């Protein structure tokens, strides 16, 4: 749908609202036709109605009330559009650089302007990405109301921009996202409605099959009563999303108890819902990690991978374990082995996860994240050449992604860590990598992010290595400012930065001859 002008819509409401002109303009054809027919019916009764003409004034009241309502409706309509456009501008705008560049092989070919439908689809995709980021942040801050508001605003925005809502995959994804947020924050009645609508709308779209399958599993559990742990024993009243809320609040011990109960209930069911059980096992790994229970992390991870190996999708009514869950379990097991110093075991898990992502055509940030893990693991094992190959491969993937990235924070972190590696082994690459990382952060967050702070911190270390204390001081001061803006509660990091700045100031003064070296 093309961009609509608020002034023109209000003008049509005032001048020809009786004919539904404003609704025709906004492509609300069904309701616009009803408004027009009501007006035609009223005028027809008045002029040619004969004895029925006395009923014509009774139609005037509903028409006027509807037009009055439409005045408020137009205000809300354009408010939602303006708010989303403003947020997307902050999320996408790169200070004048084009959002999408031509592919290298097509650089010499004149790029055709995108069609209106393509531009609209791209805008919807960016709105979904922005909302996912907002939801993740608000849930991390234990603010479920903010997550609900962001998801609801996305649904409303996409409803307004969809000509045929029943055939819009973006709107279907928005309903699924809204339902999942409500489900995970224990607003179960609202979750049921949104999940039902999302499953219905997403059914024709193959690329939404994983989300649809998960949503359908949650709907099944909402419709069925709690299972009994033993025959004759009372049902265990563990509500969906209950322990996930405890995880967000940091109550790991209580979350561990409830998560164990959920896992026991799922395992005791006659027909095991493999995707759901795998999701709970993955949460159990995170809980055990935060409690420092490394043996439990490994046990839950091995059970998840064993479940994935047993289920082939034919014998289970709920399908196989989704590959993203398998990948995350392998990553966590690899991270555990890495923390314990078992580089061989970490390499094995990271390679398995990378093969899984490659086979399923995973996103660029996922591939880069795994290559980063492999590179760090190789470097710890003393294999500098292997680490260099992994970093170079990750860099190639980043270049191939162009300017549009799903997780610019993670991509920028990969570049920063590559630069930190290059300080020790490939100094000529450092400056270009840091500059690329900062460009990405400027496009996505206007340069105000923790990833940018880390990039400046690494660059400051490189300046110290090459003997430029003044540049080192300037970069450390910029990094401190970004840490204070983006992570003011991280007192230890800010204190460490201030200590580094004090040392850098002394080095600058020593070079200038103000104090003895």
């Amino acid at each position: 749908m093309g961009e609509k002008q608020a002034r023109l819509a209000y003008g049509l409401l005032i001048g020809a609202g009786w004919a539904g002109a404003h609704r025709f303009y906004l492509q609300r054809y069904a309701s616009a036709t009803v408004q027009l027919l009501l007006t035609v019916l009223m005028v027809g009764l008045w002029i040619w109605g004969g004895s029925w003409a006395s009923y014509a004034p009774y139609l005037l009241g509903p028409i006027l009330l509807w037009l009055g309502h439409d005045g408020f409706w137009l205000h809300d309509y354009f408010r939602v559009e303006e708010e989303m456009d403003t947020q997307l501008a902050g999320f996408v705008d790169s200070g004048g650089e084009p959002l999408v560049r031509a592919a290298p092989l097509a650089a010499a070919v004149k790029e055709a302007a995108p069609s209106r439908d393509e531009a609209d689809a791209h805008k919807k995709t960016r709105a979904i990405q922005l909302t996912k980021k907002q939801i993740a942040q608000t849930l991390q801050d234990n603010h479920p109301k903010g997550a609900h508001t962001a998801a609801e605003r996305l649904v409303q925005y996409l409803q307004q921009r969809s000509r045929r809502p029943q055939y819009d995959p973006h709107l279907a994804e928005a309903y699924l996202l809204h339902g999942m947020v409500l489900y995970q924050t224990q607003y179960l009645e609202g979750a049921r409605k949104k999940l039902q609508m999302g499953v219905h709308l997403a059914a024709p779209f193959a690329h939404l099959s994983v989300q649809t399958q998960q949503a359908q599993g949650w709907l099944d559990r909402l419709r069925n009563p709690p299972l009994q742990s033993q025959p004759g024993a009372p049902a265990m009243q563990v509500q969906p999303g209950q322990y996930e809320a405890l995880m967000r609040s940091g109550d790991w011990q209580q979350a561990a108890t409830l998560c164990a109960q959920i896992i026991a209930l799922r395992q005791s069911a006659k027909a095991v819902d493999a995707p759901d059980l795998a999701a709970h096992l993955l949460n159990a790994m995170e809980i055990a990690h935060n409690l420092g229970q490394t043996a439990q992390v490994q046990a839950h991870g091995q059970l998840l991978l064993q479940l994935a190996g047993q289920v082939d999708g034919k014998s289970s009514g709920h399908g196989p374990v989704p590959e993203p869950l398998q990948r995350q379990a392998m990553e966590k097991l690899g991270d555990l082995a890495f923390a314990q110093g078992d580089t061989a075991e970490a390499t094995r898990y990271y390679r398995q996860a990378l093969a899984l992502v490659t086979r399923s055509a995973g996103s660029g940030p996922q591939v880069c994240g795994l290559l980063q893990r492999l590179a760090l693991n190789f470097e710890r094992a003393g294999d500098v050449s292997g680490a260099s190959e992994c970093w170079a491969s990750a860099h190639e993937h980043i270049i191939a992604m162009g300017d549009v990235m799903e997780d610019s924070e993670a991509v920028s972190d990969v570049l920063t860590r590559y630069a930190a590696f290059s300080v020790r082994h490939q100094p000529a690459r450092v400056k270009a990598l840091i500059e690329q990382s900062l460009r990405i952060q400027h496009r996505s967050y206007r340069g105000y992010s923790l990833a940018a702070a880390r990039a400046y911190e690494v660059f400051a270390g490189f300046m110290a290595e090459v003997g430029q204390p003044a540049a080192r001081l300037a970069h450390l001061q910029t990094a401190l400012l970004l840490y204070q803006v983006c992570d003011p509660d991280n007192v230890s990091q800010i204190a460490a930065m201030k200590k580094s700045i004090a040392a850098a100031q002394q080095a600058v003064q020593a070079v200038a001859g103000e104090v003895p070296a």
Side-chain angles (χ1 to χ4, degrees), residues 64-366:
L64 293 177
L65 285 174
W66 195 350
L67 294 179
H69 164 270
D70 279 359
F72 295 100
W73 172 69
L74 285 178
H75 172 74
D76 288 338
Y77 181 98
F78 287 104
R79 177 183 56 81
V80 171
E81 289 276 339
E82 183 178 359
E83 288 179 357
M84 184 61 74
D85 287 345
T86 301
Q87 293 181 11
L88 286 174
F91 184 63
V92 177
D93 189 12
S94 59
E97 293 183 11
L99 181 62
V100 181
R101 294 177 181 170
L105 294 179
V109 181
K110 184 177 180 180
E111 187 177 4
S115 66
R116 176 178 293 181
D117 290 340
E118 290 173 343
D120 191 51
H122 179 72
K123 192 172 185 179
K124 292 178 181 179
T125 301
R126 297 298 296 177
I128 291 173
Q129 292 174 351
L130 169 64
T131 303
K132 286 181 178 179
K133 185 176 182 64
Q134 292 174 335
I135 289 172
Q137 184 61 50
T138 51
L139 291 181
Q140 182 179 353
D141 296 339
N142 196 27
H143 184 46
K145 289 289 187 181
H148 300 165
T149 301
E152 185 176 3
R153 183 172 55 241
L154 175 67
V155 171
Q156 188 176 1
Y157 174 75
L158 294 179
Q159 283 177 331
Q160 293 180 180
R161 299 192 68 86
S162 299
R163 292 183 182 178
R164 304 175 67 188
Q166 66 272 29
Y167 301 113
D168 189 345
H170 300 91
L171 182 59
E173 186 174 0
Y175 270 111
L176 290 173
L177 181 63
H178 194 186
M180 290 175 182
V181 170
L182 292 171
Y183 180 89
Q184 292 176 349
T185 53
Q186 302 185 65
Y187 289 78
L188 303 184
E189 186 59 35
R192 180 182 292 107
K193 297 177 181 178
K194 297 298 181 181
L195 289 173
Q196 287 174 341
M197 179 62 72
V199 169
H200 172 70
L201 293 177
F205 307 111
H207 70 282
L208 296 177
S209 60
V210 175
Q211 296 96 311
T212 305
Q213 186 182 64
Q214 185 179 22
Q216 186 61 60
W218 288 354
L219 278 174
D220 293 341
R221 290 192 294 280
L222 287 172
R223 293 169 180 148
N224 297 327
L227 297 172
Q228 292 184 343
S229 56
Q230 297 293 336
M236 302 175 71
Q237 300 294 329
V238 182
Q239 294 296 327
Q242 187 173 359
Y243 80 84
E244 289 94 334
L246 292 171
M247 290 173 63
R248 290 191 294 273
S249 65
D251 190 352
W252 300 105
Q253 193 62 55
Q254 184 66 15
T257 302
L258 297 181
C259 183
Q261 293 177 5
I262 288 284
I263 290 174
L265 287 173
R266 298 295 186 258
Q267 289 175 326
S268 64
K270 293 182 179 179
V272 176
D273 185 346
D276 179 54
L277 177 57
H280 291 301
L281 288 170
L282 190 65
N283 286 336
M285 293 179 71
E286 182 179 352
I287 293 171
H289 170 73
N290 283 275
L291 291 174
Q293 301 171 346
T294 56
Q296 289 296 318
V297 174
Q298 190 165 15
H300 290 309
Q302 294 290 353
L303 185 58
L304 191 157
L305 296 181
Q306 182 181 1
L307 178 67
Q310 290 176 348
V311 179
D312 59 4
K314 297 179 181 179
S315 59
S316 171
H318 293 282
V321 176
E323 290 185 346
L325 298 182
Q326 299 180 46
R327 173 185 57 79
Q328 292 178 61
M330 292 172 184
E331 287 180 0
K332 290 180 182 295
L333 289 172
D335 292 344
L336 177 62
F338 180 82
Q340 294 175 338
D342 190 348
T343 55
E345 188 74 358
T347 298
R348 183 172 70 87
Y349 282 121
Y350 291 152
R351 287 194 181 279
Q352 289 177 353
L354 185 60
L356 192 65
V357 171
T358 304
R359 186 176 70 243
S360 60
S363 67
Q366 293 173 355

Side-chain angles (χ1 to χ4, degrees), residues 320-509:
V321 176
E323 290 185 346
L325 298 182
Q326 299 180 46
R327 173 185 57 79
Q328 292 178 61
M330 292 172 184
E331 287 180 0
K332 290 180 182 295
L333 289 172
D335 292 344
L336 177 62
F338 180 82
Q340 294 175 338
D342 190 348
T343 55
E345 188 74 358
T347 298
R348 183 172 70 87
Y349 282 121
Y350 291 152
R351 287 194 181 279
Q352 289 177 353
L354 185 60
L356 192 65
V357 171
T358 304
R359 186 176 70 243
S360 60
S363 67
Q366 293 173 355
V367 174
C368 291
L370 285 166
L371 287 170
Q372 172 181 289
R373 285 178 162 87
L374 274 171
L376 294 173
N377 192 58
F378 281 135
E379 187 178 7
R380 170 176 285 189
D383 186 356
V384 176
S385 63
S388 298
E389 291 179 5
C390 290
W391 285 124
S393 180
H395 193 219
E396 290 175 0
H397 277 84
I398 292 173
I399 293 174
M401 280 188 279
D403 287 342
V404 180
M405 299 177 181
E406 295 180 19
D407 191 347
S408 59
E409 187 88 6
V411 172
S412 185
D413 187 62
V414 172
L415 291 168
T416 301
R417 289 180 179 269
Y418 186 13
F421 170 83
S422 299
V423 169
R424 298 183 294 272
H425 304 288
Q426 302 169 343
R429 292 181 175 270
V430 175
K431 184 178 180 180
L433 291 171
I434 292 295
E435 289 177 347
Q436 185 178 3
S437 174
L438 293 175
R439 281 198 302 271
I440 292 173
Q441 289 309 296
H442 180 72
R443 283 195 298 267
S444 302
Y445 310 105
R446 300 185 182 275
Y448 291 95
S449 67
L450 288 177
R454 290 189 289 268
Y456 279 112
E457 189 176 0
V458 170
F459 206 14
F462 176 66
M463 291 295 103
E465 291 287 335
V466 298
Q468 298 185 23
R472 175 198 178 198
L473 176 60
H475 293 322
L476 285 175
Q477 290 172 337
T478 304
L480 174 61
L481 175 63
L482 291 175
Y483 278 123
Q484 290 173 330
V485 171
C486 302
D487 195 12
D489 296 330
N490 194 341
V491 179
S492 59
Q493 178 66 43
I494 292 175
M497 290 299 302
K498 289 181 178 179
K499 185 176 180 180
S500 299
I501 288 174
Q505 288 173 337
Q506 291 180 359
V508 171
Q509 292 171 357

